[in-house]
Structure formats: C-alpha cells, structure tokens
C-alpha cells in the first residue's frame, strides 16, 4: 500500500459516521510541529551518541549498553515512531446501535452500554479538560475533543456528540460552539502563560551567563540592563494581561455552564497568582545573580 493510499484509508476510518477518535487531529498536528526544545534535545542526543561510540572505539570495546540504547532510540525515531502514530490514528470508539465499541492497540474491546454512559452523566462523572470533554472514566471513558483551529474535525466530533445524545434518555452537558470558543480561549491563555514563563526562565539563565562572564564595568551594566530589562518587563506584562483575560473568560464559562455546577474550571485567580509568584521569583533571581556573582 502506497503512502497516499494508507493516508486515505486512515482518513476514511477517522471520519466515518459514529467513529469518535481517541486522539484528536490537533494532537497529531502538535506531534508534527518542530520546536526549539526538540531541536536542542536532538542535537545534544546526537553529540552524546557520537561521544559514546568514540569512547568505545578508542578503548577497543564492543558497543556499550548506553551506546546500544542510544542507537535503539535513534532507530525508533527514524523508522518506528511513524508506524505507531499511524496505528494510534485508528484508535477510537464506534457509536453503534447496540452500544459503544472501543478500538485500541488490543483490537476491539467488549461494548460499553449506553446505560453506563447515562449513569456516568447522572452522577456528574464528566469534565471539561484541556483538550476535550470527558464523559465517564476507566474503560467506559469517552473524550470529545475540542479540535482547536480545525473546523472540519470539530464538526465531526459535534456530529458524534449529537449521535450519542440520540441513544441516551438523559441530557448531555453542552458541547456547543459558544462553549467551545470559551474553552479554546482557556487553552490559549494557559498556553501563553507557559510560553512567557519559559521566556522569563531563558532570560534569567542568559542574564546569569552574560553577567558572570562580563567585566564589572558601568558600560557593561548599562548594556545588560538595556538588553534584559525590556525582555523581562514585556514577558511580565504579558503574564499580567493574560491573567486578567483568563479571569474574564472564566466568568463567561461559569455563566455558559451555570446549569452544570459539577463542572470545574480551576481557581478563578490562578493567572494572577502565577504572575505574582513568577514576578517575585524573577526579582529574587536577579538579586541573587547581581549580589553573589
């Protein structure tokens, strides 16, 4: 089977009526996206592997255990990982007339009855998580992904949700566009919070390297201040603004889901708390570097 035929087969399975994918399209898109940290880790891993092989060669030894592990990891990344990801794309749940059939790495599992899902909803066993709405737990768990930024995949999940509702005698929690937009924003604000926190950590590390290596002269101090002060202030400003927007979005979420008091979206002022703690740690970090190095 050619690559194109394989891709077409996988797509037809994932978009079939009543098939709820276990892993979202958004999940696989993130897997394909390169990141700065992946490049750095890959570079360090290759250097580490070359050093291990060189040590074994110079000492006239057969490949050591770490070298074999390193080669195995490299082969996995190059040849095996893609096949595993392709198989993951076929995992999910089939919403059939008699029940829900899960498809996993072990093949088709015993069907889950719709009565079990009704009992889970009645007991409040559902939650709006970071990437999707979870209903039930354990072997009966269903995850309806938000599919952020992918309207086609989002529509398919909404159709699966509507199909599930037809098989139930109890009203499901809302899974509408308005609520999804608010949940998308919640995810976006949390992601931005992590991004600017990493930015501040990088600024602190680079500042430490420059400061400890530079000559203690007034011109160097002005240079470092002009370089790192705007960087850190901008990231702190973004964190504070992000916290404010997150609080407003959470109030809208509470209003949209007011008929479902069991839904939890986390502490309302978590964004503000994160900003204050990060700012305090940043100030202490800068003070420590300047005072002791």
């Amino acid at each position: 089977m050619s690559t194109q035929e394989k891709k077409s087969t996988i797509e037809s399975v994932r978009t079939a009526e009543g098939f709820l994918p276990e892993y979202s399209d958004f999940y696989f898109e993130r897997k394909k996206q390169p990141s700065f940290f992946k490049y750095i880790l890959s570079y360090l891993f290759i250097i580490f592997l070359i050093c291990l092989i060189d040590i074994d060669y110079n000492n006239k030894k057969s490949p050591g255990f770490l070298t074999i592990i390193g080669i195995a990891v490299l082969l996995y990344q190059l040849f095996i990982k893609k096949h595993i990801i392709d198989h993951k794309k076929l995992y999910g749940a089939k919403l059939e007339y008699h029940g829900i059939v899960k498809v996993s790495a072990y093949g088709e599992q015993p069907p889950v009855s719709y009565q079990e899902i009704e009992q889970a909803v009645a007991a409040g066993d559902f939650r709006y998580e970071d990437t999707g709405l979870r209903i039930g737990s354990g072997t009966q768990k269903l995850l309806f992904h938000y599919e952020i930024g992918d309207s086609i995949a989002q529509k398919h999940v909404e159709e699966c949700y509507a199909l599930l509702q037809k098989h139930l005698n109890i009203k499901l929690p809302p899974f509408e566009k308005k609520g999804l937009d608010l949940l998308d924003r919640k995810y976006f604000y949390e992601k931005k919070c992590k991004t600017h926190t990493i930015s501040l950590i990088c600024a602190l590390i680079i500042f430490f390297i420059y400061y400890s290596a530079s000559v203690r002269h007034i011109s160097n101090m002005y240079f470092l201040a002009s370089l790192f002060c705007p960087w850190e202030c901008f990231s702190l400003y973004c964190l504070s603004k992000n916290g404010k927007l997150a609080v407003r979005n959470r109030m809208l979420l509470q209003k949209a889901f007011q008929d479902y008091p069991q839904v939890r979206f986390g502490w309302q002022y978590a964004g503000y708390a994160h900003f204050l703690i990060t700012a305090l740690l940043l100030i202490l970090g800068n003070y420590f570097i300047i005072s002791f190095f």
Side-chain angles (χ1 to χ4, degrees):
M1 183 183 295
S2 65
T3 304
Q4 189 60 36
E5 289 176 339
K6 187 176 183 180
K7 184 178 179 182
S8 178
T9 301
I10 292 173
E11 188 65 22
S12 64
V13 171
R14 289 179 63 82
T15 56
E17 183 180 0
F19 181 80
L20 179 66
E22 182 176 344
Y23 298 93
S24 67
D25 287 359
F26 181 67
Y27 167 84
F28 294 113
E29 283 299 318
R30 284 196 304 171
K31 287 289 184 183
K32 290 193 295 186
Q33 291 175 359
S35 68
F36 174 76
F37 297 103
K38 285 182 180 179
Y39 281 127
I40 295 297
L41 290 173
S42 299
Y43 175 77
L44 293 175
F45 174 76
I46 291 172
I47 296 299
F48 176 67
L49 184 59
I50 291 173
C51 290
L52 287 176
I53 295 173
D54 186 58
I55 290 171
D56 289 340
Y57 177 79
N58 291 331
N59 294 332
K60 297 181 179 180
K61 294 180 179 178
S62 58
F65 176 73
L66 289 177
T67 303
I68 294 173
I69 293 295
I71 293 173
V73 171
L74 189 62
L75 291 174
Y76 167 79
Q77 292 290 334
L78 291 175
F79 303 107
I80 302 174
K81 184 178 178 180
K82 187 179 183 306
H83 293 288
I84 293 177
I85 289 177
D86 286 343
H87 277 289
K88 279 186 173 182
K89 291 179 179 179
L90 301 175
Y91 300 163
K94 299 177 182 177
L95 304 177
E96 299 181 348
Y97 178 78
H98 62 282
I100 302 167
V101 179
K102 293 281 193 74
V103 180
S104 67
Y106 306 102
E108 292 191 355
Q109 306 300 306
V112 177
S113 69
Y114 289 112
Q115 187 178 5
E116 292 179 76
I117 303 299
E118 284 185 357
Q119 292 171 353
V121 175
D125 189 9
F126 59 85
R127 181 176 177 180
Y128 291 90
E129 299 183 341
D130 289 341
T131 60
L133 167 59
R134 174 185 62 78
I135 297 178
S137 56
T139 57
Q140 69 174 16
K141 181 182 74 173
L142 295 175
L143 186 60
F144 293 85
H145 301 285
Y146 305 141
E147 294 292 10
I148 297 169
D150 190 339
S151 58
I152 296 175
Q154 196 171 85
K155 183 180 178 182
H156 176 72
V157 175
E158 289 173 356
E159 289 172 350
C160 290
Y161 200 71
L163 181 60
L164 176 64
Q165 180 65 82
K166 289 180 181 179
H167 289 287
L168 303 180
N169 297 317
I170 190 172
K171 184 181 178 183
L172 288 170
F175 195 74
E176 302 165 350
K177 182 170 177 53
K178 181 181 177 182
L180 292 179
D181 288 343
L182 293 172
L183 291 165
D184 283 357
R185 290 184 195 177
K186 176 178 179 290
Y187 172 83
F188 175 78
Y189 295 144
E190 291 174 352
K191 184 179 179 181
K192 281 293 182 183
C193 185
K194 294 176 184 177
T195 299
H196 290 295
T197 301
I198 292 172
S199 172
L200 288 171
I201 293 172
C202 291
L204 198 63
I205 293 173
I206 297 172
F207 174 61
F208 169 72
I209 294 171
Y210 268 85
Y211 187 84
S212 59
S214 65
V215 178
R216 302 297 186 274
H217 191 274
I218 189 65
S219 61
N220 288 332
M221 298 301 104
Y222 280 131
F223 170 75
L224 291 176
S226 64
L227 180 64
F228 291 99
C229 187
W231 180 352
E232 293 178 351
C233 288
F234 176 74
S235 291
L236 285 174
Y237 165 74
C238 290
L239 276 179
S240 64
K241 183 180 179 182
N242 202 68
K244 181 179 179 180
L245 293 172
V247 169
R248 184 186 303 170
N249 189 67
R250 191 182 182 283
M251 292 172 64
L252 293 173
L253 278 169
Q254 283 182 313
K255 186 177 180 180
F257 297 96
Q258 59 186 348
D259 294 333
Y260 298 87
Q262 60 269 66
V263 175
R264 297 289 182 267
F265 297 109
W267 185 39
Q268 182 172 353
Y269 299 103
Y272 283 146
H274 184 92
F275 161 70
L276 292 173
I277 294 171
T278 302
L280 178 61
L281 291 176
L282 182 68
I283 293 170
L284 291 175
N286 286 326
Y287 174 78
F288 179 79
I289 292 170
I290 294 172
S291 301
F292 297 97
F293 293 94

